[in-house]
Amino acid sequence: MDRKRILLADDHQIVRAGLKQLIDAEPDLCVAGEAATSAEALALLREGRWDLVLLDISLPDRTGVDTLRLIRNHLGDIPVLIVSAFPEEQYAINLLRAGANGYLKKDSDVDEILRAIRVVLQGRRYLSATAADLVASRLDQPGAGPAHQDLSEREFQVLCKLASGMSVTQIADELFISVKTVSTYRSRLLDKLKLGSNAELTYYAVKNGLIQ
């Protein structure tokens, strides 16, 4: 049996070691590569054949949101399962909208982790019970969840960067868009979230667990 090749991208070596031990014990799965940064993950993805990426949402050089966007723009439809310490209500809907194939909490039990991996490898999306409830509630009651769940992928991306203290110019350089475009996104964010300043954006992001 050909084992499915999985790339682990997480900056915590102990997390990678635990996941690798779990995955390598399965006869149909193997961890064929590990990365501690977004740059390392993208380099490995360009070099080899992969069946799945387990991607941490918080890498030291680039967020999981940005890394996911780069994978989707430059590396095609390789399945990406987000693994995060953040609760589903903070990130799951935005990341699924951005192209993730699933969202999994790091403290999930062994059976759920393996089930999520196999569901995504079968070409389906994986939603935990909590994430499924969130999606259902968004369909039943639009606007019922946190306001950031209604943001576009790019708006959410800019929100996280502004809240982390980056300037409009720095964001423009990193995302390869104009300063004017970033300023437009900032204005939309303030309007949609009913906020008045970057300081309030930061407070909102901290309160909702979008940044640490």
Side-chain angles (χ1 to χ4, degrees):
M1 176 189 297
D2 288 336
R3 304 175 82 184
K4 297 296 185 181
R5 292 168 50 84
I6 296 172
L7 173 63
L8 291 183
D10 193 296
D11 60 328
H12 294 99
Q13 193 277 332
I14 192 168
V15 173
R16 296 199 310 273
L19 286 170
K20 178 175 172 58
Q21 182 178 20
L22 167 67
I23 293 167
D24 284 349
E26 297 300 304
D28 57 332
L29 307 172
C30 74
V31 173
E34 299 180 39
T37 66
S38 172
E40 289 177 5
L42 292 168
L44 286 169
L45 286 170
R46 292 187 185 100
E47 291 169 2
R49 178 189 65 80
W50 303 94
D51 296 298
L52 174 71
V53 183
L54 282 180
L55 177 64
D56 182 17
I57 201 171
S58 299
L59 295 172
D61 57 334
R62 189 178 286 121
T63 69
V65 179
D66 290 343
T67 304
L68 176 61
R69 184 181 180 87
L70 288 169
I71 291 171
R72 287 289 168 258
N73 287 347
H74 302 291
L75 295 166
D77 296 327
I78 181 169
V80 177
L81 177 59
I82 299 291
V83 182
S84 172
F86 292 102
E88 286 96 333
E89 60 266 21
Q90 293 167 0
Y91 274 101
I93 289 178
N94 296 89
L95 283 162
L96 290 169
R97 187 182 292 141
N101 300 87
Y103 188 98
L104 188 68
K105 288 285 301 303
K106 284 186 178 181
D107 60 2
S108 300
D109 63 38
V110 169
D111 288 341
E112 183 173 13
I113 292 171
L114 293 174
R115 182 166 61 252
I117 289 171
R118 291 194 168 98
V119 165
V120 172
L121 283 170
Q122 290 167 7
R124 297 182 288 147
R125 284 191 169 186
Y126 178 79
L127 293 175
S128 67
T130 302
D133 285 345
L134 280 171
V135 172
S137 68
R138 300 298 288 159
L139 293 173
D140 294 339
Q141 304 176 55
H148 64 266
Q149 291 182 355
D150 291 324
L151 299 175
S152 70
E153 174 193 347
R154 182 67 96 184
E155 287 168 346
F156 184 71
Q157 200 175 21
V158 171
L159 165 62
C160 293
K161 292 182 183 302
L162 285 170
S164 68
M166 292 180 67
S167 70
V168 169
T169 301
Q170 289 172 322
I171 296 170
D173 289 343
E174 185 165 310
L175 298 181
F176 302 103
I177 56 180
S178 71
V179 169
K180 182 178 180 181
T181 299
V182 177
S183 296
T184 299
Y185 279 120
R186 177 183 175 277
S187 297
R188 287 185 197 167
L189 287 168
L190 293 174
D191 181 57
K192 289 185 176 183
L193 301 178
K194 296 179 171 56
L195 302 173
S197 67
N198 281 12
E200 291 184 12
L201 281 174
T202 299
Y203 177 74
Y204 177 93
V206 171
K207 183 177 71 172
N208 285 278
L210 302 180
I211 61 173
Q212 294 176 315

